[in-house]
């Protein structure tokens, strides 16, 4: 078994890379909705702060809830440990300290991304430039994931990478669904938003690269309940919550002492299988997704108990 501190760095490396990519995706889908929905619908940029549970820190750092301040906070704020830039720096440091067990190409790739973001930091305040930059960030992150998949032996190092990536991905997919539900739950804009519901959910699907797969496998028009079920329960789609949890469960077979983690994952999978037809935008959907996100925290905590906290400390 690899050392717990090394395993923890690999786990968080995967989470940070996925977080960088997902932050870029979240910003892109919000920007695209700005273009696709009519101006009379109020697109609140601060909603992205709420989605990332960053309200308290935002209030300390900024006076106004503007697009500029939200983008600064989410993308390049050094005092925000969850910003895209902070997550990238953390991923880079974790690669640096585990370079002896990871492909050299991943170190080169993350350095290129780090330099790209530093050289174009000012682009985050111009919407068109920001969108182009976010597309490049996503491509770099996907290249790194491809390098791991194509060059690493599928041993314990690989298992911790897959654990971290899929736990982070499941969490963000649930938050993107919450984003869609939020717009439909705005009562003052209900009629206007419902008229553009298919545009909203198409953008949510695109945010997780799921538009084509939804059209191929669901084969119905794009509507809220269908997208919710697809992104929560579709087993073959790599960014559905169910698929991500199944990948976590699969990796447990390659690791010892994972029964506590397996129990938490199976609890969440049972919860997902107890499917209820949620009305998009309902309080019931928000509560369901909130419960899922609490479950992801419990899975993370069980991973720490199993592998990252030395046994004499845990006792």
């Amino acid at each position: 078994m690899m050392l717990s501190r090394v395993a923890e760095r690999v786990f968080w490396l995967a989470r940070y890379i996925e977080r960088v990519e997902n932050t870029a995706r979240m910003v892109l889908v919000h920007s695209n909705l700005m273009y696709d929905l009519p101006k009379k619908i109020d697109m609140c940029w601060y909603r992205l702060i709420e989605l990332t549970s960053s309200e308290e820190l935002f209030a300390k750092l900024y006076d106004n809830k503007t697009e500029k301040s939200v983008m600064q906070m989410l993308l390049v704020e050094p005092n925000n440990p969850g910003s895209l830039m902070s997550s990238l720096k953390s991923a880079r440091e974790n690669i640096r300290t585990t370079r002896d067990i990871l492909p050299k190409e991943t170190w080169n790739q993350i350095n290129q991304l780090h330099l790209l973001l530093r050289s174009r930091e000012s682009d985050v305040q111009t919407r068109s430039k920001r969108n182009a930059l976010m597309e490049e960030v996503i491509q770099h992150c996907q290249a790194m994931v491809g390098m791991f998949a194509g060059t690493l032996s599928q041993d314990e190092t690989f298992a911790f990478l897959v654990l971290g990536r899929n736990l982070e991905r499941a969490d963000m997919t649930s938050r993107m669904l919450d984003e869609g539900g939020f717009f439909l739950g705005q009562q003052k804009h209900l009629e206007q938003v419902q008229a553009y519901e298919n545009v909203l959910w198409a953008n949510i699907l695109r945010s997780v690269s799921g538009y084509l797969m939804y059209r191929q496998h669901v084969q119905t028009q794009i509507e809220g309940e269908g997208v919710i079920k697809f992104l929560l329960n579709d087993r073959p789609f790599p960014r559905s919550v169910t698929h991500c949890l199944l990948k976590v469960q699969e990796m447990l077979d390659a690791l010892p002492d994972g029964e506590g983690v397996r129990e938490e994952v199976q609890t969440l999978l049972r919860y997902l299988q107890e499917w209820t037809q949620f009305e998009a935008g309902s309080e019931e959907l928000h509560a369901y997704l909130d419960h899922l996100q609490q479950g992801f925290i419990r899975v993370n905590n069980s991973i720490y108990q199993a592998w990252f906290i030395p046994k004499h400390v845990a006792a």
Side-chain angles (χ1 to χ4, degrees), residues 6 95-103:
V6 177
I95 288 184
R96 187 189 67 80
T97 55
T98 53
R99 287 170 68 181
D100 55 330
I101 61 171
L102 295 175

Side-chain angles (χ1 to χ4, degrees), residues 130-144:
R130 179 175 68 232
N131 288 350
L133 179 59
M134 293 302 100
E135 294 280 7
E136 290 189 58
V137 168
I138 291 169
Q139 290 170 11
H140 276 274
C141 291
Q142 291 180 331
M144 274 185 279

Side-chain angles (χ1 to χ4, degrees), residues 194-213:
Q194 284 181 338
Y196 290 88
E197 183 178 355
N198 62 330
V199 175
L200 168 67
W201 290 110
N203 272 286
I204 297 296
L205 285 169
R206 290 188 182 99
S207 75
V208 294
S209 298
Y211 182 85
L212 180 61
M213 293 302 100

Side-chain angles (χ1 to χ4, degrees), residues 206-268:
R206 290 188 182 99
S207 75
V208 294
S209 298
Y211 182 85
L212 180 61
M213 293 302 100
Y214 178 90
R215 296 308 298 262
Q216 285 185 358
H217 296 287
V218 180
Q219 295 182 345
T220 61
Q221 75 174 58
I222 295 174
E223 43 80 30
E225 290 185 7
V227 173
I228 293 165
K229 186 173 183 179
F230 178 74
L231 292 183
L232 287 179
N233 293 98
D234 192 81
R235 287 180 171 235
F237 181 60
R239 290 184 176 271
S240 80
V241 174
T242 294
H243 180 96
C244 291
L245 290 174
L246 288 172
K247 291 302 291 185
V248 169
Q249 186 172 257
E250 180 185 328
M251 290 303 105
L252 299 180
D253 295 335
L255 299 169
D257 306 321
E259 284 311 306
V261 184
R262 191 182 299 276
E263 288 176 11
E264 292 291 352
V265 172
Q266 288 176 344
T267 297
L268 276 180

Side-chain angles (χ1 to χ4, degrees), residues 87-98:
S87 297
L88 179 59
K89 287 181 177 178
S90 297
R92 183 173 179 269
E93 178 63 14
N94 282 356
I95 288 184
R96 187 189 67 80
T97 55
T98 53

